[in-house]
Amino acid sequence: YGLQIAFKDFIPTKGFAGSQWVGLKHFKTFVTSYQFGRLLKNTLTISLYSLIANFPAAIILAIAVNECGNRWFKKTVQMVTYAPHFISTVVMAGIILMVLSPYSGIVNNIIGAFGGEKIDFMAKPEYFRHIYVWSGVWQGIGFNSIIYISALAGIDQALHEAAVVDGASRLQRIIHVDLPGIMPTITIMLIMNCGKIMTVGYEKILLLQNSVNMSTSDVISTYVYRMGLENAQYSFSTAVGLFNAVINCILLVSVNMIAKRINDTSLW
């Protein structure tokens, strides 16, 4: 019901029904604004970069944990990789800023110890995407691998035994038994991730963002936050958010249809 303010000049005192209907005015304003290209580019770059880095990493970790024969080491690795997921976004941003501090950060201390010049990473726009994505990989790889570990546990062990009898190596069993066995799960997870390509959470970016790295850190979600909460442009920010949601919906349906045609695995 509240989405209708995206098509109105919403005034809180007049309410949803009393505000003037303006149609696609706010959508046109956003699409034709000088910031549209930069926001779209930053959002897609960070989102696709995150997908490319995070998606295979979780699968690789799950296979590595599944192949580990030492039960104690296996449980230790799982615990160590799961733990960062439960760190709050605020604490995570604080850790990143401390580690990368140009004055007392461990990274710059190591660079200085080898005679290099210390770098203010957060003041370098070209480093922001790498910092955001790889800190996200570290924080989420363990938790994201849980579903793949569960899928691997459901593979019939008779298939592995037959492969061993046929002389297959461990790598060959991973390629020809494990990966095909979890392919439906991988497909479903890929479809769901593609449905979030235009969605980059604003919390972490907002905490790491500053006026210097804005050229690469400003994304659609942070723009909506500024327009809606800081500038009180409720109709405009709702229109931008709705535009984002519609694109995600189209991507989800499209990727689902492609996956269904290729290997008969889909969400519906």
Side-chain angles (χ1 to χ4, degrees):
Y1 180 75
L3 286 177
Q4 65 178 296
I5 69 174
F7 306 94
K8 294 186 174 186
D9 275 334
F10 177 67
I11 299 175
T13 55
K14 293 184 178 181
F16 290 164
S19 299
Q20 181 184 0
W21 182 271
V22 295
L24 300 176
K25 170 188 170 183
H26 301 299
F27 295 94
K28 292 177 181 177
T29 301
F30 174 59
V31 172
T32 57
S33 68
Y34 74 95
Q35 299 189 71
F36 176 73
R38 175 173 61 87
L39 292 170
L40 188 62
K41 177 186 175 183
N42 289 343
T43 301
L44 288 174
T45 302
I46 291 176
S47 188
L48 291 173
Y49 189 1
S50 296
L51 179 63
I52 292 169
N54 275 290
F55 196 76
I59 298 171
I60 292 169
L61 176 63
I63 292 173
V65 168
N66 186 65
E67 290 296 316
C68 182
N70 188 314
R71 185 178 179 82
W72 179 87
F73 182 73
K74 182 177 180 178
K75 294 297 181 183
T76 302
V77 170
Q78 286 180 294
M79 183 185 69
V80 170
T81 54
Y82 292 170
H85 173 76
F86 301 99
I87 300 175
S88 73
T89 306
V90 176
V91 174
M92 171 59 67
I95 292 172
I96 293 171
L97 293 174
M98 288 175 63
V99 169
L100 299 178
S101 170
Y103 308 107
S104 57
I106 185 172
V107 174
N108 273 304
N109 285 339
I110 293 173
I111 293 174
F114 284 94
E117 184 178 348
K118 293 187 176 182
I119 304 170
D120 188 354
F121 289 97
M122 302 313 299
K124 301 282 187 180
E126 62 270 23
Y127 290 131
F128 183 86
R129 292 165 182 157
H130 305 297
I131 294 168
Y132 178 88
V133 170
W134 291 107
S135 62
V137 172
W138 172 72
Q139 187 175 18
I141 186 173
F143 190 81
N144 293 336
S145 68
I146 293 175
I147 190 167
Y148 300 114
I149 293 174
S150 301
L152 286 166
I155 294 175
D156 190 351
Q157 290 302 307
L159 296 173
H160 281 284
E161 292 170 2
V164 171
V165 170
D166 289 339
S169 65
R170 177 171 291 188
L171 180 59
Q172 289 173 324
R173 283 189 283 121
I174 290 172
I175 294 173
H176 297 290
V177 178
D178 287 337
L179 286 177
I182 64 172
M183 191 55 67
T185 303
I186 292 174
T187 303
I188 294 297
M189 295 303 296
L190 181 60
I191 293 171
M192 294 177 69
N193 277 279
C194 287
K196 303 187 295 183
I197 282 179
M198 291 290 287
T199 303
V200 179
Y202 73 92
E203 301 94 342
K204 184 178 172 183
I205 288 185
L206 207 62
L207 291 166
L208 297 176
Q209 195 175 72
N210 56 53
S211 58
V212 183
N213 62 32
M214 187 71 77
S215 61
T216 56
S217 67
D218 199 20
V219 294
I220 292 177
S221 58
T222 56
Y223 183 68
V224 169
Y225 173 85
R226 285 201 311 277
M227 293 297 104
L229 296 182
E230 294 183 2
N231 298 339
Q233 296 184 26
Y234 304 118
S235 292
F236 181 72
S237 60
T238 303
V240 176
L242 182 57
F243 167 83
N244 214 29
V246 169
I247 297 298
N248 276 334
C249 184
I250 293 171
L251 287 171
L252 178 64
V253 173
S254 301
V255 175
N256 186 74
M257 289 176 61
I258 293 170
K260 191 173 185 178
R261 290 184 179 182
I262 293 175
N263 61 6
D264 292 328
T265 301
S266 62
L267 289 174
W268 64 83

